mmCIF file of all heavy atoms in Angstrom:
data_model
loop_
_atom_site.group_PDB
_atom_site.id
_atom_site.type_symbol
_atom_site.label_atom_id
_atom_site.label_comp_id
_atom_site.label_asym_id
_atom_site.label_seq_id
_atom_site.Cartn_x
_atom_site.Cartn_y
_atom_site.Cartn_z
ATOM 1 N N ASP G 1 7.081 -11.549 -12.714
ATOM 2 C CA ASP G 1 5.907 -11.515 -11.837
ATOM 3 C C ASP G 1 6.216 -10.746 -10.554
ATOM 4 O O ASP G 1 5.412 -9.920 -10.097
ATOM 5 C CB ASP G 1 5.472 -12.937 -11.472
ATOM 6 C CG ASP G 1 4.715 -13.640 -12.583
ATOM 7 O OD1 ASP G 1 4.387 -12.984 -13.599
ATOM 8 O OD2 ASP G 1 4.448 -14.851 -12.438
ATOM 9 N N ALA G 2 7.355 -11.033 -9.953
ATOM 10 C CA ALA G 2 7.720 -10.354 -8.705
ATOM 11 C C ALA G 2 7.866 -8.853 -8.928
ATOM 12 O O ALA G 2 7.455 -8.045 -8.086
ATOM 13 C CB ALA G 2 9.016 -10.951 -8.144
ATOM 14 N N GLU G 3 8.432 -8.471 -10.062
ATOM 15 C CA GLU G 3 8.593 -7.041 -10.343
ATOM 16 C C GLU G 3 7.242 -6.362 -10.554
ATOM 17 O O GLU G 3 7.045 -5.218 -10.127
ATOM 18 C CB GLU G 3 9.494 -6.854 -11.561
ATOM 19 C CG GLU G 3 10.940 -7.220 -11.281
ATOM 20 C CD GLU G 3 11.883 -6.790 -12.380
ATOM 21 O OE1 GLU G 3 11.689 -7.225 -13.533
ATOM 22 O OE2 GLU G 3 12.811 -6.015 -12.089
ATOM 23 N N ARG G 4 6.311 -7.055 -11.192
ATOM 24 C CA ARG G 4 4.976 -6.470 -11.372
ATOM 25 C C ARG G 4 4.275 -6.288 -10.028
ATOM 26 O O ARG G 4 3.603 -5.275 -9.799
ATOM 27 C CB ARG G 4 4.142 -7.353 -12.304
ATOM 28 C CG ARG G 4 4.489 -7.195 -13.778
ATOM 29 C CD ARG G 4 3.441 -7.824 -14.670
ATOM 30 N NE ARG G 4 3.475 -9.278 -14.593
ATOM 31 C CZ ARG G 4 4.152 -10.056 -15.439
ATOM 32 N NH1 ARG G 4 4.872 -9.503 -16.407
ATOM 33 N NH2 ARG G 4 4.123 -11.370 -15.331
ATOM 34 N N LEU G 5 4.408 -7.272 -9.147
ATOM 35 C CA LEU G 5 3.802 -7.148 -7.822
ATOM 36 C C LEU G 5 4.434 -5.995 -7.047
ATOM 37 O O LEU G 5 3.734 -5.246 -6.345
ATOM 38 C CB LEU G 5 3.952 -8.458 -7.052
ATOM 39 C CG LEU G 5 3.106 -9.635 -7.556
ATOM 40 C CD1 LEU G 5 3.595 -10.944 -6.938
ATOM 41 C CD2 LEU G 5 1.629 -9.427 -7.246
ATOM 42 N N ALA G 6 5.739 -5.839 -7.180
ATOM 43 C CA ALA G 6 6.422 -4.737 -6.501
ATOM 44 C C ALA G 6 5.925 -3.388 -7.013
ATOM 45 O O ALA G 6 5.693 -2.451 -6.226
ATOM 46 C CB ALA G 6 7.935 -4.853 -6.695
ATOM 47 N N ALA G 7 5.758 -3.284 -8.312
ATOM 48 C CA ALA G 7 5.277 -2.028 -8.891
ATOM 49 C C ALA G 7 3.860 -1.719 -8.426
ATOM 50 O O ALA G 7 3.511 -0.559 -8.153
ATOM 51 C CB ALA G 7 5.334 -2.109 -10.417
ATOM 52 N N PHE G 8 3.025 -2.754 -8.318
ATOM 53 C CA PHE G 8 1.657 -2.547 -7.860
ATOM 54 C C PHE G 8 1.641 -2.075 -6.405
ATOM 55 O O PHE G 8 0.871 -1.173 -6.033
ATOM 56 C CB PHE G 8 0.848 -3.838 -8.008
ATOM 57 C CG PHE G 8 -0.625 -3.655 -7.782
ATOM 58 C CD1 PHE G 8 -1.444 -3.237 -8.819
ATOM 59 C CD2 PHE G 8 -1.192 -3.880 -6.536
ATOM 60 C CE1 PHE G 8 -2.809 -3.050 -8.619
ATOM 61 C CE2 PHE G 8 -2.543 -3.699 -6.326
ATOM 62 C CZ PHE G 8 -3.356 -3.284 -7.372
ATOM 63 N N LEU G 9 2.493 -2.668 -5.584
ATOM 64 C CA LEU G 9 2.599 -2.219 -4.197
ATOM 65 C C LEU G 9 2.997 -0.749 -4.131
ATOM 66 O O LEU G 9 2.447 0.020 -3.327
ATOM 67 C CB LEU G 9 3.621 -3.071 -3.449
ATOM 68 C CG LEU G 9 3.146 -4.418 -2.908
ATOM 69 C CD1 LEU G 9 4.343 -5.273 -2.513
ATOM 70 C CD2 LEU G 9 2.214 -4.234 -1.715
ATOM 71 N N ASP G 10 3.937 -0.353 -4.958
ATOM 72 C CA ASP G 10 4.371 1.041 -4.959
ATOM 73 C C ASP G 10 3.232 1.991 -5.294
ATOM 74 O O ASP G 10 3.111 3.072 -4.712
ATOM 75 C CB ASP G 10 5.505 1.239 -5.969
ATOM 76 C CG ASP G 10 6.865 0.928 -5.383
ATOM 77 O OD1 ASP G 10 6.947 0.750 -4.155
ATOM 78 O OD2 ASP G 10 7.840 0.851 -6.147
ATOM 79 N N ARG G 11 2.388 1.594 -6.221
ATOM 80 C CA ARG G 11 1.297 2.479 -6.656
ATOM 81 C C ARG G 11 0.188 2.602 -5.618
ATOM 82 O O ARG G 11 -0.403 3.674 -5.476
ATOM 83 C CB ARG G 11 0.702 1.979 -7.976
ATOM 84 C CG ARG G 11 1.604 2.159 -9.176
ATOM 85 C CD ARG G 11 0.833 2.011 -10.473
ATOM 86 N NE ARG G 11 0.215 0.704 -10.616
ATOM 87 C CZ ARG G 11 0.824 -0.362 -11.134
ATOM 88 N NH1 ARG G 11 2.090 -0.268 -11.536
ATOM 89 N NH2 ARG G 11 0.194 -1.512 -11.263
ATOM 90 N N HIS G 12 -0.086 1.538 -4.883
ATOM 91 C CA HIS G 12 -1.315 1.533 -4.087
ATOM 92 C C HIS G 12 -1.128 1.320 -2.588
ATOM 93 O O HIS G 12 -2.104 1.417 -1.832
ATOM 94 C CB HIS G 12 -2.257 0.453 -4.628
ATOM 95 C CG HIS G 12 -2.705 0.714 -6.028
ATOM 96 N ND1 HIS G 12 -3.542 1.754 -6.373
ATOM 97 C CD2 HIS G 12 -2.396 0.079 -7.203
ATOM 98 C CE1 HIS G 12 -3.758 1.743 -7.676
ATOM 99 N NE2 HIS G 12 -3.065 0.748 -8.204
ATOM 100 N N TYR G 13 0.095 1.056 -2.132
ATOM 101 C CA TYR G 13 0.286 0.770 -0.705
ATOM 102 C C TYR G 13 1.399 1.604 -0.062
ATOM 103 O O TYR G 13 1.565 1.546 1.151
ATOM 104 C CB TYR G 13 0.619 -0.725 -0.510
ATOM 105 C CG TYR G 13 -0.490 -1.653 -0.908
ATOM 106 C CD1 TYR G 13 -0.676 -2.022 -2.244
ATOM 107 C CD2 TYR G 13 -1.373 -2.179 0.031
ATOM 108 C CE1 TYR G 13 -1.705 -2.877 -2.615
ATOM 109 C CE2 TYR G 13 -2.398 -3.040 -0.325
ATOM 110 C CZ TYR G 13 -2.553 -3.384 -1.658
ATOM 111 O OH TYR G 13 -3.570 -4.229 -2.025
ATOM 112 N N ARG G 14 2.115 2.377 -0.821
ATOM 113 C CA ARG G 14 3.323 3.053 -0.319
ATOM 114 C C ARG G 14 2.981 4.151 0.682
ATOM 115 O O ARG G 14 2.083 4.965 0.456
ATOM 116 C CB ARG G 14 4.111 3.639 -1.487
ATOM 117 C CG ARG G 14 5.564 4.008 -1.151
ATOM 118 C CD ARG G 14 6.377 2.764 -0.953
ATOM 119 N NE ARG G 14 7.768 3.038 -0.622
ATOM 120 C CZ ARG G 14 8.755 3.022 -1.508
ATOM 121 N NH1 ARG G 14 8.495 2.789 -2.788
ATOM 122 N NH2 ARG G 14 9.994 3.238 -1.121
ATOM 123 N N HIS G 15 3.678 4.156 1.781
ATOM 124 C CA HIS G 15 3.568 5.203 2.794
ATOM 125 C C HIS G 15 4.585 6.288 2.468
ATOM 126 O O HIS G 15 5.667 6.007 1.947
ATOM 127 C CB HIS G 15 3.842 4.597 4.172
ATOM 128 C CG HIS G 15 3.535 5.490 5.333
ATOM 129 N ND1 HIS G 15 4.321 6.559 5.691
ATOM 130 C CD2 HIS G 15 2.513 5.460 6.243
ATOM 131 C CE1 HIS G 15 3.816 7.144 6.761
ATOM 132 N NE2 HIS G 15 2.713 6.498 7.117
ATOM 133 N N GLU G 16 4.262 7.511 2.795
ATOM 134 C CA GLU G 16 5.138 8.623 2.418
ATOM 135 C C GLU G 16 6.515 8.547 3.080
ATOM 136 O O GLU G 16 7.490 9.131 2.579
ATOM 137 C CB GLU G 16 4.483 9.957 2.778
ATOM 138 C CG GLU G 16 4.205 10.139 4.261
ATOM 139 C CD GLU G 16 3.473 11.433 4.562
ATOM 140 O OE1 GLU G 16 2.966 12.068 3.619
ATOM 141 O OE2 GLU G 16 3.410 11.785 5.743
ATOM 142 N N THR G 17 6.625 7.804 4.184
ATOM 143 C CA THR G 17 7.924 7.698 4.847
ATOM 144 C C THR G 17 8.802 6.603 4.250
ATOM 145 O O THR G 17 9.959 6.460 4.647
ATOM 146 C CB THR G 17 7.755 7.427 6.353
ATOM 147 O OG1 THR G 17 7.128 6.154 6.537
ATOM 148 C CG2 THR G 17 6.925 8.506 7.018
ATOM 149 N N GLY G 18 8.245 5.794 3.328
ATOM 150 C CA GLY G 18 9.070 4.806 2.648
ATOM 151 C C GLY G 18 8.630 3.375 2.791
ATOM 152 O O GLY G 18 9.045 2.523 2.003
ATOM 153 N N GLY G 19 7.819 3.078 3.799
ATOM 154 C CA GLY G 19 7.317 1.719 3.966
ATOM 155 C C GLY G 19 5.999 1.514 3.252
ATOM 156 O O GLY G 19 5.647 2.252 2.325
ATOM 157 N N TYR G 20 5.252 0.518 3.711
ATOM 158 C CA TYR G 20 3.994 0.165 3.050
ATOM 159 C C TYR G 20 2.874 0.017 4.068
ATOM 160 O O TYR G 20 3.039 -0.623 5.117
ATOM 161 C CB TYR G 20 4.154 -1.154 2.275
ATOM 162 C CG TYR G 20 5.074 -1.008 1.092
ATOM 163 C CD1 TYR G 20 6.444 -1.131 1.245
ATOM 164 C CD2 TYR G 20 4.577 -0.692 -0.169
ATOM 165 C CE1 TYR G 20 7.301 -0.973 0.177
ATOM 166 C CE2 TYR G 20 5.423 -0.521 -1.243
ATOM 167 C CZ TYR G 20 6.787 -0.662 -1.064
ATOM 168 O OH TYR G 20 7.632 -0.489 -2.133
ATOM 169 N N TYR G 21 1.731 0.618 3.733
ATOM 170 C CA TYR G 21 0.512 0.382 4.498
ATOM 171 C C TYR G 21 0.075 -1.070 4.312
ATOM 172 O O TYR G 21 0.377 -1.703 3.293
ATOM 173 C CB TYR G 21 -0.623 1.270 4.009
ATOM 174 C CG TYR G 21 -0.531 2.730 4.353
ATOM 175 C CD1 TYR G 21 -0.257 3.680 3.365
ATOM 176 C CD2 TYR G 21 -0.778 3.174 5.649
ATOM 177 C CE1 TYR G 21 -0.211 5.043 3.665
ATOM 178 C CE2 TYR G 21 -0.730 4.532 5.959
ATOM 179 C CZ TYR G 21 -0.452 5.464 4.960
ATOM 180 O OH TYR G 21 -0.403 6.791 5.258
ATOM 181 N N LEU G 22 -0.694 -1.570 5.271
ATOM 182 C CA LEU G 22 -1.286 -2.895 5.092
ATOM 183 C C LEU G 22 -2.366 -2.863 4.028
ATOM 184 O O LEU G 22 -2.511 -3.807 3.250
ATOM 185 C CB LEU G 22 -1.865 -3.386 6.422
ATOM 186 C CG LEU G 22 -2.571 -4.739 6.394
ATOM 187 C CD1 LEU G 22 -1.596 -5.861 6.043
ATOM 188 C CD2 LEU G 22 -3.248 -5.017 7.736
ATOM 189 N N THR G 23 -3.146 -1.773 3.975
ATOM 190 C CA THR G 23 -4.307 -1.703 3.093
ATOM 191 C C THR G 23 -4.030 -0.862 1.851
ATOM 192 O O THR G 23 -3.208 0.054 1.863
ATOM 193 C CB THR G 23 -5.511 -1.101 3.832
ATOM 194 O OG1 THR G 23 -5.142 0.175 4.380
ATOM 195 C CG2 THR G 23 -5.963 -2.017 4.956
ATOM 196 N N SER G 24 -4.773 -1.170 0.802
ATOM 197 C CA SER G 24 -4.662 -0.456 -0.465
ATOM 198 C C SER G 24 -5.335 0.909 -0.379
ATOM 199 O O SER G 24 -6.249 1.130 0.425
ATOM 200 C CB SER G 24 -5.344 -1.285 -1.565
ATOM 201 O OG SER G 24 -5.519 -0.537 -2.744
ATOM 202 N N ASP G 25 -4.890 1.832 -1.245
ATOM 203 C CA ASP G 25 -5.581 3.119 -1.325
ATOM 204 C C ASP G 25 -6.955 2.983 -1.967
ATOM 205 O O ASP G 25 -7.728 3.942 -1.999
ATOM 206 C CB ASP G 25 -4.733 4.147 -2.080
ATOM 207 C CG ASP G 25 -4.364 3.705 -3.495
ATOM 208 O OD1 ASP G 25 -4.881 2.672 -3.977
ATOM 209 O OD2 ASP G 25 -3.536 4.396 -4.134
ATOM 210 N N ARG G 26 -7.279 1.791 -2.450
ATOM 211 C CA ARG G 26 -8.604 1.538 -3.019
ATOM 212 C C ARG G 26 -9.539 0.857 -2.022
ATOM 213 O O ARG G 26 -10.693 0.574 -2.354
ATOM 214 C CB ARG G 26 -8.477 0.653 -4.253
ATOM 215 C CG ARG G 26 -7.623 1.239 -5.368
ATOM 216 C CD ARG G 26 -7.537 0.268 -6.523
ATOM 217 N NE ARG G 26 -6.748 0.788 -7.627
ATOM 218 C CZ ARG G 26 -6.595 0.155 -8.784
ATOM 219 N NH1 ARG G 26 -7.166 -1.026 -8.980
ATOM 220 N NH2 ARG G 26 -5.865 0.676 -9.741
ATOM 221 N N ALA G 27 -9.047 0.573 -0.832
ATOM 222 C CA ALA G 27 -9.854 -0.144 0.156
ATOM 223 C C ALA G 27 -10.848 0.809 0.825
ATOM 224 O O ALA G 27 -10.714 2.036 0.751
ATOM 225 C CB ALA G 27 -8.952 -0.780 1.207
ATOM 226 N N GLU G 28 -11.838 0.217 1.501
ATOM 227 C CA GLU G 28 -12.810 1.015 2.241
ATOM 228 C C GLU G 28 -12.103 1.801 3.331
ATOM 229 O O GLU G 28 -11.045 1.416 3.832
ATOM 230 C CB GLU G 28 -13.861 0.110 2.884
ATOM 231 C CG GLU G 28 -13.286 -0.809 3.972
ATOM 232 C CD GLU G 28 -14.357 -1.602 4.692
ATOM 233 O OE1 GLU G 28 -15.048 -0.999 5.526
ATOM 234 O OE2 GLU G 28 -14.484 -2.801 4.423
ATOM 235 N N ASP G 29 -12.708 2.928 3.693
ATOM 236 C CA ASP G 29 -12.141 3.741 4.756
ATOM 237 C C ASP G 29 -12.345 3.061 6.103
ATOM 238 O O ASP G 29 -13.444 2.597 6.431
ATOM 239 C CB ASP G 29 -12.803 5.118 4.779
ATOM 240 C CG ASP G 29 -12.368 5.980 3.605
ATOM 241 O OD1 ASP G 29 -11.279 5.715 3.063
ATOM 242 O OD2 ASP G 29 -13.105 6.913 3.244
ATOM 243 N N LEU G 30 -11.275 2.998 6.880
ATOM 244 C CA LEU G 30 -11.333 2.567 8.264
ATOM 245 C C LEU G 30 -10.944 3.757 9.129
ATOM 246 O O LEU G 30 -10.585 4.818 8.616
ATOM 247 C CB LEU G 30 -10.381 1.387 8.496
ATOM 248 C CG LEU G 30 -10.677 0.126 7.675
ATOM 249 C CD1 LEU G 30 -9.530 -0.875 7.811
ATOM 250 C CD2 LEU G 30 -11.987 -0.516 8.115
ATOM 251 N N ILE G 31 -11.003 3.604 10.429
ATOM 252 C CA ILE G 31 -10.691 4.744 11.291
ATOM 253 C C ILE G 31 -9.234 5.169 11.144
ATOM 254 O O ILE G 31 -8.898 6.335 11.353
ATOM 255 C CB ILE G 31 -11.041 4.458 12.759
ATOM 256 C CG1 ILE G 31 -10.316 3.198 13.266
ATOM 257 C CG2 ILE G 31 -12.539 4.332 12.938
ATOM 258 C CD1 ILE G 31 -10.454 2.995 14.754
ATOM 259 N N VAL G 32 -8.354 4.239 10.785
ATOM 260 C CA VAL G 32 -6.968 4.537 10.426
ATOM 261 C C VAL G 32 -6.546 3.527 9.373
ATOM 262 O O VAL G 32 -7.206 2.513 9.161
ATOM 263 C CB VAL G 32 -5.994 4.463 11.635
ATOM 264 C CG1 VAL G 32 -6.282 5.545 12.651
ATOM 265 C CG2 VAL G 32 -6.018 3.093 12.279
ATOM 266 N N ARG G 33 -5.423 3.791 8.743
ATOM 267 C CA ARG G 33 -4.863 2.878 7.752
ATOM 268 C C ARG G 33 -3.650 2.202 8.382
ATOM 269 O O ARG G 33 -2.638 2.867 8.650
ATOM 270 C CB ARG G 33 -4.468 3.665 6.499
ATOM 271 C CG ARG G 33 -4.270 2.826 5.253
ATOM 272 C CD ARG G 33 -4.040 3.728 4.059
ATOM 273 N NE ARG G 33 -3.654 2.952 2.885
ATOM 274 C CZ ARG G 33 -3.135 3.478 1.782
ATOM 275 N NH1 ARG G 33 -2.929 4.788 1.702
ATOM 276 N NH2 ARG G 33 -2.815 2.698 0.762
ATOM 277 N N PRO G 34 -3.705 0.891 8.662
ATOM 278 C CA PRO G 34 -2.638 0.249 9.433
ATOM 279 C C PRO G 34 -1.273 0.360 8.767
ATOM 280 O O PRO G 34 -1.119 0.139 7.570
ATOM 281 C CB PRO G 34 -3.097 -1.213 9.511
ATOM 282 C CG PRO G 34 -4.567 -1.172 9.301
ATOM 283 C CD PRO G 34 -4.805 -0.042 8.349
ATOM 284 N N TYR G 35 -0.274 0.685 9.602
ATOM 285 C CA TYR G 35 1.111 0.837 9.148
ATOM 286 C C TYR G 35 2.009 0.394 10.285
ATOM 287 O O TYR G 35 2.003 0.982 11.365
ATOM 288 C CB TYR G 35 1.382 2.294 8.790
ATOM 289 C CG TYR G 35 2.764 2.577 8.260
ATOM 290 C CD1 TYR G 35 3.204 1.995 7.077
ATOM 291 C CD2 TYR G 35 3.624 3.446 8.931
ATOM 292 C CE1 TYR G 35 4.470 2.269 6.577
ATOM 293 C CE2 TYR G 35 4.886 3.727 8.435
ATOM 294 C CZ TYR G 35 5.310 3.134 7.255
ATOM 295 O OH TYR G 35 6.560 3.404 6.762
ATOM 296 N N SER G 36 2.773 -0.657 10.076
ATOM 297 C CA SER G 36 3.504 -1.244 11.195
ATOM 298 C C SER G 36 4.756 -1.963 10.726
ATOM 299 O O SER G 36 4.841 -2.430 9.587
ATOM 300 C CB SER G 36 2.601 -2.236 11.942
ATOM 301 O OG SER G 36 3.307 -2.936 12.942
ATOM 302 N N ALA G 37 5.719 -2.059 11.649
ATOM 303 C CA ALA G 37 6.938 -2.835 11.418
ATOM 304 C C ALA G 37 6.891 -4.185 12.104
ATOM 305 O O ALA G 37 7.822 -4.981 11.955
ATOM 306 C CB ALA G 37 8.143 -2.057 11.942
#
């Protein structure tokens, strides 16, 4: 289960610098896509 969730995150939340956006690439457009440490 954990590996499937990880794979899903990689497909839809991955930031090009290596981390993860808060929102999915399938989510509605906002003025920005939150990305934070």
